[in-house]
Amino acid sequence: MRILVIEDERQLAGHITRALARHGHCVSAQDDGAAGLKVALAEAPDLVVLDLNLPGLDGLGVLAQLRAAQSPVRVLVLTARGEVENRVKGLQAGADDYMAKPFSMDELVARVEALGRRATSAAPSDLLRVADLVMDVRHRRVTRAGRAVALSPREFDVLQVLMQEPGRPFSRTELCERVWQRDHEYDTRTVEIFITRLRKKIDPTAAAPLIQTLRGVGYTIQAPA
Ligand code: CA
């Protein structure tokens, strides 16, 4: 993958860059938010490792502008230890995953590579439909009533899991396992944030929502009765 690291701690940025390069990735680094954003938009890397606390423009600002520009880049956010609120804000702003500092380079590489993989390994049929919501799995495109819906990679992955089995309930834990494929402790709050993000894009009017909450169970997607 082509990866851009935006991190102002030079030593940490160097460690990250070398660890990812050793695993065969093509890595570049920027130490300033505004400069990082410019490079991310100009060079369209596959993935950005984004520190939140940055000079120039902070990480949340970088993320907001990337998503406003409808960049499909995958974003892994780095947060300082214990900054739960920043993690939540990062996910709400369009990040695909997050890591709290300090972390091991092995874990960082594993997360980056998991983010580069598709959510589902089974060969899905090319087009998934629920009512007027259509997903083109091969080209990673989604339309609702014929209008394009811009989703981040992880939003797409969550929606794909739901749309492959319309009407089947998925617990937060199962969605977390299917999409994030983590073998360590995960956080089901992350799933809730992604469902909220998806609803804003897929079901902007609450009249007949496709994504439904099943109290005490989780979520499902189905055409309104
Ligand atoms: Ca920093």
Side-chain angles (χ1 to χ4, degrees):
M1 274 190 283
R2 292 189 307 118
I3 300 172
L4 171 64
V5 177
I6 309 178
E7 165 62 84
D8 60 317
E9 292 169 49
R10 293 275 171 99
Q11 206 178 5
L12 179 59
H15 286 317
I16 293 172
T17 302
R18 285 189 296 276
L20 291 170
R22 267 200 304 278
H23 284 78
H25 300 290
C26 179
V27 193
S28 65
Q30 291 289 329
D31 61 5
D32 171 276
L37 174 66
K38 216 169 150 185
V39 172
L41 290 173
E43 297 182 0
D46 301 305
L47 186 141
V48 173
V49 177
L50 178 65
D51 185 33
L52 286 187
N53 187 12
L54 289 169
L57 175 67
D58 74 8
L60 288 177
V62 173
L63 198 46
Q65 293 204 34
L66 279 175
R67 293 311 183 213
Q70 304 209 344
S71 163
V73 68
R74 288 142 209 258
V75 178
L76 172 67
V77 154
L78 305 180
T79 64
R81 190 182 191 88
E83 286 182 355
V84 177
E85 271 315 301
N86 275 344
R87 168 176 67 72
V88 170
K89 280 186 201 153
L91 291 171
Q92 286 170 339
D96 296 293
D97 202 356
Y98 63 90
M99 290 193 73
K101 295 177 184 177
F103 48 81
S104 76
M105 286 302 149
D106 286 348
E107 190 184 354
L108 178 92
V109 170
R111 291 280 195 96
V112 162
E113 292 185 342
L115 211 44
R117 283 195 296 269
R118 297 284 171 82
T120 46
S121 47
S125 71
D126 282 358
L127 284 185
L128 303 175
R129 289 172 201 274
V130 175
D132 58 358
L133 179 67
V134 179
M135 171 178 280
D136 178 340
V137 175
R138 181 156 306 178
H139 299 102
R140 310 237 343 141
R141 289 190 202 120
V142 173
T143 58
R144 175 101 208 246
R147 294 176 58 177
V149 181
L151 299 181
S152 82
R154 275 297 188 248
E155 289 167 358
F156 186 97
D157 295 340
V158 172
L159 187 62
Q160 184 181 348
V161 170
L162 292 173
M163 287 184 76
Q164 276 172 348
E165 296 176 77
R168 155 140 130 67
F170 286 90
S171 70
R172 289 167 182 76
T173 305
E174 185 179 3
L175 277 174
C176 212
E177 284 168 355
R178 291 275 291 268
V179 173
W180 280 268
Q181 300 170 346
R182 289 186 185 169
D183 54 3
H184 61 278
E185 185 115 356
Y186 42 73
D187 181 350
T188 51
R189 174 87 192 269
T190 299
V191 172
E192 289 169 25
I193 292 169
F194 274 81
I195 292 287
T196 302
R197 279 166 45 176
L198 274 174
R199 280 187 163 135
K200 280 190 189 144
K201 294 180 176 184
I202 302 292
D203 290 321
T205 57
L210 300 179
I211 299 173
Q212 292 159 26
T213 302
L214 306 168
R215 188 163 285 187
V217 180
Y219 304 102
T220 191
I221 192 164
Q222 58 188 353

